[in-house]
Amino acid sequence: MSGLRKYEIMILLTEEFNDSELKTWVFNYAKNLRKFNVCDISVISRGKHNLAYSINDRFKGNYIQLNFSSMPKYISNFSNVLKIDSHVLRFLIFNK
């Protein structure tokens, strides 16, 4: 496909996920990305870490890194999905 660009999303999730719930959440989000013809999806769990400051009265969080290729017009859709998810504390999208 022409017009594809590589992206990376760093997502900070709440700490209440155990390993299987975390995998399920990431799998469901990756499945939603597939609806927009996203390809080359790779997921890296960066683990649970203490936060430098509290976010929504939380002091720990799970870090997830998603790498994928997509058309630029879909990035705002991905952002909107993450914004409404109550488990997402923060996220950042990088254009590689």
Side-chain angles (χ1 to χ4, degrees):
M1 288 188 205
S2 64
L4 289 179
R5 291 189 184 163
K6 292 185 179 190
Y7 293 95
E8 177 180 308
I9 301 179
M10 285 298 298
I11 304 170
L12 174 59
L13 295 169
T14 58
E15 69 171 321
E16 57 225 18
F17 287 109
N18 63 31
D19 287 341
S20 65
E21 291 171 339
L22 192 61
K23 287 178 186 175
T24 303
W25 186 92
V26 171
F27 176 76
N28 287 335
Y29 188 72
K31 192 166 64 171
N32 285 335
L33 289 177
R34 287 258 182 224
K35 292 178 185 176
F36 296 104
N37 296 324
V38 171
C39 57
D40 302 329
I41 300 174
S42 70
V43 177
I44 302 169
S45 177
R46 297 292 181 187
K48 189 180 292 190
H49 297 282
N50 291 328
L51 303 177
Y53 56 90
S54 69
I55 301 172
N56 297 340
D57 296 326
R58 304 196 189 253
F59 297 95
K60 286 187 177 183
N62 289 301
Y63 287 85
I64 301 293
Q65 177 182 340
L66 285 170
N67 298 313
F68 60 93
S69 297
S70 175
M71 306 230 5
K73 64 183 180 179
Y74 295 128
I75 296 303
S76 64
N77 294 340
F78 306 150
S79 292
N80 292 336
V81 170
L82 288 171
K83 284 178 187 175
I84 62 173
D85 192 327
S86 63
H87 297 292
V88 176
L89 297 175
R90 296 279 194 274
F91 68 92
L92 186 60
I93 301 175
F94 299 99
N95 183 1
K96 290 177 110 177

